Amino acid sequence: MHIRAFTPHDLIPLTELTIDTFRPFYEESFRPLVGEAVFANQHGDWRDDYRRQVAGLHAPERHTYVAVAEHEGDLAGYVAWSVDPDRRNGSVTLLAVPAGHRRHHVGTALCEHAFARMRALGAEVVEIGTGGDDFHAPARALYEKLGCTRLPVAVYYRRL
């Protein structure tokens, strides 16, 4: 596996990977859990939200970065992160690995790569967020394996 910096030609494949990775969460987990009204309000345009978000993830002038993993010429995943130099804090924004590359330590390698780059930029602490639902269980396991401490958080939705 080779991990490299983002290039502009990565934008479309990374956007498609992000949408493919998180479709089961939005369509099979979040939508049935909260109902149509809350879903439409919070994430009704989730695909377009990701199209906009992924397009702005790599902007070194704003201290935001993307690294891409490749394995034998295939896209094996990517990680996006940011660094707040004043607070010496880093944050993983997105981590996506295609189904065929999961369980091959790609997520671990991408996170460790991002952590090393954050340290090089002066970060002393990293924050990674994920959901508490079944869809996000593999992410929670990965972050705990990487030595991250889980913070209990509750988020509630209610239709008005």
Side-chain angles (χ1 to χ4, degrees):
M1 180 175 47
H2 171 68
I3 299 177
R4 61 170 176 77
F6 173 88
T7 64
H9 82 273
D10 294 317
L11 180 58
I12 291 172
L14 296 188
T15 301
E16 291 171 353
L17 171 59
T18 306
I19 290 169
D20 186 55
T21 298
F22 292 101
R23 183 202 57 73
F25 167 70
Y26 288 107
E27 298 299 335
E28 299 167 18
S29 181
F30 189 75
R31 182 191 295 258
L33 180 66
V34 300
E36 289 302 317
V38 171
F39 177 80
N41 179 273
Q42 293 296 305
H43 296 295
D45 294 326
W46 67 269
R47 288 174 184 86
D48 286 336
D49 292 343
Y50 277 132
R51 288 181 183 104
R52 286 185 292 275
Q53 182 184 18
V54 174
L57 287 175
H58 189 76
E61 70 280 3
R62 290 190 333 252
H63 309 287
T64 62
Y65 308 88
V66 173
V68 177
E70 295 176 322
H71 179 71
E72 297 179 357
D74 288 338
L75 173 62
Y78 81 99
V79 62
W81 73 92
S82 63
V83 173
D84 180 340
D86 295 332
R87 292 184 56 227
R88 297 179 316 278
N89 184 298
S91 179
V92 172
T93 310
L94 273 172
L95 175 66
V97 176
H101 291 279
R102 293 179 194 151
R103 304 303 227 182
H104 298 284
H105 308 289
V106 175
T108 299
L110 284 165
C111 285
E112 293 290 3
H113 176 89
F115 295 170
R117 297 305 185 271
M118 288 180 210
R119 277 191 295 276
L121 293 167
E124 298 173 359
V125 174
V126 63
E127 173 185 342
I128 304 175
T130 194
D133 58 304
D134 290 344
F135 173 84
H136 289 97
R140 290 191 307 275
L142 169 62
Y143 303 152
E144 290 171 16
K145 183 180 108 183
L146 289 168
C148 300
T149 302
R150 183 177 180 178
L151 177 66
V153 175
V155 176
Y156 294 87
Y157 287 102
R158 177 180 165 225
R159 182 176 180 185
L160 299 177

